[in-house]
């Protein structure tokens, strides 16, 4: 579905970048791909490798391709609407052929699962032989691979059309593919895929150069604003920044050659003249001449003068597309644990449904991170996320913090007053952390705010409308607080629209993934820190009373101790952490001797004794054995003297010298 060019451009030899030209034999491309498959050692009749990376690793890959994902996702949905009910699916892959995202017809999903057309599966030629995704990426051109053209026999039931996606630097960053039942082949599918890939590239341009001069051009004015227009961007001084594939074709120069050019060398016109032409309110098309003498029609987007800043493609551009194109923050928190996955699944169901959410869990399990992810996946993502820790604000100040106050409302009030946290969250999300610690007299005011959506600042004579989504969290049992009269029952039932519970770190099955993700987030650019297996074994045995927060702080210290690169070893861990681990192991090594009477200070475990019990009994044993000598007992246990002294209040006083 390529639109023909007219005039001198029609005489230019060679296809547009990223497409197969008429002079290129299609069978030759498939033949070369089969030869590569043989060299890679792919066995045609072998069952393909359908293994996928761990969920946390896949999330890391998706996060690393955020720039591609956010622009491709809405285009994928549009493309899928055009091919719906054709026994097909749309796939987005990385530049290496790993599937990032897919949309498919329900009647094709079962077949797709048999050939692993799913996120996390590698469809490069090295893994699957000749196939549309792998071959399009290898050739850097759009291709269709139909039926028996696939190298592996297991894929002969498929027909696949794929186009590579180039970023504004001219580099392949991924591929867009439509795969379906080989009996449903349609010759126009590749054209749709190619046009969709070009749409993604053009939208990347629109969002990546917010302060650049962007020139749109084509030999025919009616094609301006369409997918086939050329787009080139320049700094306000005229230095070339980038050009899409259509622009490269019309200019007759590859991306590498264009990097050495300027606007004036390409269009035979000073940049100042272009700015003068398009700097007014009118943006009517004007004719310009390329360096080759070809006449083209142009429109230019000229931004107001200001400081120039080059774009960074690894980060979210300033002009982001619609919310559905953004990477899910909740998905990023899903690292493979079934309990966490169930929580995320429930939260996705109530996003933007005006249902309050209550998050339960021990201290340090990441309740605040989950609340932020819920906010970022909602339609309120561009509005404020305001967190209030009800346990950390003095009771005398929490009312002013929440509701705000007018000037002179109380002694010490700021001049001109202050906006409360609830008003600050207007249009966004209010996160009430440790809601169980909110003073009872404020609970009635909060209930009224939630019901009437209005607040009255202290000292004010009028009420203010507020629109907030409410998420709260607590590590306490609110029903016990209600029974004791410390928490209002009516407020409880107003807040618990959806109640979810985050598991403690020691209960999670994705512990190794959590460690790797935290470690990666703590490393600076260019820093490469791993973790040794002995340390991982220590981590797996530990009970983590501080949960993810404790693990984060421990790893942060260890990363600093290791330096720019290396592995975290036991010597990089804090002394108190190692002492606790040694104390846990001591009972197994201690000699058998009578234990003194000690009151159980903690909850009993499966064997009737808590870790605290066992630790204290071991210390008591050693102190008895060494006649109260703390230094000797500490040496025998492999802990410091301070560890024993810290627990001396729980030991019989006659055991300490």
């Amino acid at each position: 579905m390529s639109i023909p060019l007219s005039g001198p451009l029609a005489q230019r030899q060679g296809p547009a970048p990223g497409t197969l030209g008429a002079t290129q034999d299609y069978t030759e491309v498939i033949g070369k791909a089969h030869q590569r498959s043989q060299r890679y050692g792919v066995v045609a009749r072998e069952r393909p490798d359908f293994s996928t990376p761990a969920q946390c690793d896949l999330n890391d890959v998706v996060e690393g391709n955020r720039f591609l994902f956010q622009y491709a996702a809405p285009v994928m949905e549009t493309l899928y609407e055009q091919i719906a009910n054709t026994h097909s699916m749309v796939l987005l892959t990385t530049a290496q052929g790993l599937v990032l995202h897919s949309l498919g017809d329900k009647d094709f999903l079962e077949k797709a699962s048999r050939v692993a057309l799913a996120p996390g599966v590698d469809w490069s030629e090295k893994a699957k032989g000749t196939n549309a995704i792998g071959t399009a990426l290898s050739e850097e051109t759009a291709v269709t691979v139909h039926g028996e053209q696939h190298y592996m026999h297991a894929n002969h039931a498929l027909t696949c059309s794929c186009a590579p996606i180039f970023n504004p630097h001219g580099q392949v960053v991924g591929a867009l593919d439509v795969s379906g039942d080989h009996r449903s082949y349609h010759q126009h599918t590749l054209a749709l895929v190619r046009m969709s890939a070009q749409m993604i590239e053009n939208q990347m341009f629109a969002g990546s150069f917010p302060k650049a001069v962007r020139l749109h051009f084509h030999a025919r004015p009616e094609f301006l604003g369409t997918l086939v227009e050329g787009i080139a961007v320049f700094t306000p001084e005229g230095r070339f920044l980038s050009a899409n594939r259509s622009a490269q074709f019309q200019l007759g120069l590859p991306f590498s050659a264009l990097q050495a050019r300027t606007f004036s060398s390409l269009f035979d016109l000073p940049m100042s003249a272009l700015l003068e032409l398009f700097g007014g309110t009118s943006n009517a098309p004007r004719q310009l001449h390329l360096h080759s003498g070809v006449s083209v029609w142009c429109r230019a987007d000229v931004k107001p003068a200001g400081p120039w800043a080059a774009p960074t493609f690894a980060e979210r551009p300033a002009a982001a597309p619609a919310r559905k194109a953004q990477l899910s923050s909740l998905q990023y928190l899903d690292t493979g644990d079934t309990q966490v996955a169930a929580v995320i699944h429930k939260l996705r169901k109530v996003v933007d449904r005006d249902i309050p959410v209550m998050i339960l869990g021990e201290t340090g399990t990441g309740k605040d991170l989950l609340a932020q992810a819920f906010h970022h996946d909602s339609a309120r993502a561009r509005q404020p996320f305001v967190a209030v820790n009800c346990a950390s604000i003095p009771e005398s100040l929490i009312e002013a913090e929440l509701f705000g106050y007018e000037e002179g409302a109380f002694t010490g009030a700021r001049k001109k007053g202050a906006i409360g946290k609830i008003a600050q969250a207007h249009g966004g999300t209010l996160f009430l952390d440790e809601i169980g610690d909110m003073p009872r007299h404020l609970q009635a005011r909060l209930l009224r705010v939630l019901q009437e959506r209005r607040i009255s600042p202290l000292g004010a004579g009028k009420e203010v409308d507020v629109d907030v989504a409410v998420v709260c969290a607590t590590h306490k049992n609110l029903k016990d607080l209600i029974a004791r009269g410390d928490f209002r029952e009516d407020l409880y039932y107003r807040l618990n629209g959806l109640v979810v519970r985050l598991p403690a770190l020691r209960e999670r099955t994705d512990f190794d993934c959590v460690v790797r993700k935290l470690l990666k987030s703590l490393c600076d650019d260019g820093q490469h820190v791993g973790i040794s297996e002995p340390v991982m074994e220590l981590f797996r045995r530990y009970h983590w009373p501080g949960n993810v927060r404790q693990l984060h702080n421990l790893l942060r210290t260890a990363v600093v101790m290791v330096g720019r690169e290396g592995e975290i070893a036991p010597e990089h861990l804090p002394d108190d952490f190692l002492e606790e681990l040694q104390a846990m192991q001591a009972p197994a090594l201690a000699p058998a001797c009578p234990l003194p009477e000690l009151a159980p200070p903690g909850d009993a475990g499966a064997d009737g004794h808590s870790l605290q019990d066992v630790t204290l009994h071991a210390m008591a044993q050693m102190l008895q054995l060494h006649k109260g000598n703390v230094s000797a007992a500490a040496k025998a246990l492999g802990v410091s003297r301070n560890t024993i002294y810290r627990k001396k209040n729980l030991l019989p006083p006659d055991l300490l010298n």
Side-chain angles (χ1 to χ4, degrees), residues 6-9 12 217-221 250 267 286-298:
S6 64
L9 284 178
R12 180 158 294 134
F217 60 96
H218 198 278
R220 291 166 59 177
Q250 294 186 59
F267 288 87
R286 305 291 185 94
Q287 272 195 305
L288 297 180
H289 296 280
L290 301 182
H291 61 99
S292 59
V294 174
S295 177
V296 292
W297 289 89
C298 302

Side-chain angles (χ1 to χ4, degrees), residues 16 54 78 86 102 121 142 181 204 298 416 436 469 503 508 619 648:
T78 301
T86 61
S102 63
V121 179
D181 190 302
M204 285 181 180
C298 302
K416 297 184 180 180
R508 294 179 61 157
M619 289 181 179
K648 66 181 180 181

Side-chain angles (χ1 to χ4, degrees), residues 214-264:
R214 191 163 65 246
L215 190 69
H216 304 253
F217 60 96
H218 198 278
R220 291 166 59 177
E222 64 268 29
F223 290 155
L224 290 176
T226 71
L227 288 177
V228 298
E229 70 175 358
I231 305 176
V233 286
F234 304 86
T235 68
E237 296 75 34
R239 180 169 57 85
F240 173 83
L241 291 173
S242 190
N244 70 354
R245 284 189 274 169
S246 178
Q248 294 173 47
F249 173 60
Q250 294 186 59
L251 292 168
L253 293 170
F255 191 89
S256 57
L258 287 170
Q259 288 179 304
R261 307 300 289 268
T262 63
F263 171 78
S264 59

Side-chain angles (χ1 to χ4, degrees), residues 172-244:
V172 174
V173 290
L176 186 66
D177 173 82
V178 169
S179 292
D181 190 302
H182 73 290
R183 293 167 296 187
S184 302
Y185 168 75
H186 198 289
Q187 60 179 346
H188 296 310
T189 302
L190 183 61
L192 284 173
V193 172
R194 193 164 59 232
M195 291 170 63
S196 299
Q198 193 160 351
M199 186 181 299
I200 295 170
E201 294 171 7
N202 288 354
Q203 290 180 359
M204 285 181 180
F205 267 81
S208 298
F209 301 96
K211 296 184 179 180
V213 176
R214 191 163 65 246
L215 190 69
H216 304 253
F217 60 96
H218 198 278
R220 291 166 59 177
E222 64 268 29
F223 290 155
L224 290 176
T226 71
L227 288 177
V228 298
E229 70 175 358
I231 305 176
V233 286
F234 304 86
T235 68
E237 296 75 34
R239 180 169 57 85
F240 173 83
L241 291 173
S242 190
N244 70 354

Side-chain angles (χ1 to χ4, degrees), residues 250-325:
Q250 294 186 59
L251 292 168
L253 293 170
F255 191 89
S256 57
L258 287 170
Q259 288 179 304
R261 307 300 289 268
T262 63
F263 171 78
S264 59
S265 69
L266 292 171
F267 288 87
D268 292 331
L269 188 73
M271 176 57 78
S272 58
L274 180 77
L275 298 179
E276 186 175 338
L277 276 174
F278 293 99
T281 56
S282 174
N283 196 21
R286 305 291 185 94
Q287 272 195 305
L288 297 180
H289 296 280
L290 301 182
H291 61 99
S292 59
V294 174
S295 177
V296 292
W297 289 89
C298 302
R299 280 198 184 100
D301 294 327
V302 179
K303 304 302 179 185
W308 167 251
T312 302
F313 297 113
E315 300 174 356
R316 185 183 301 278
R323 180 178 64 85
K324 67 181 179 180

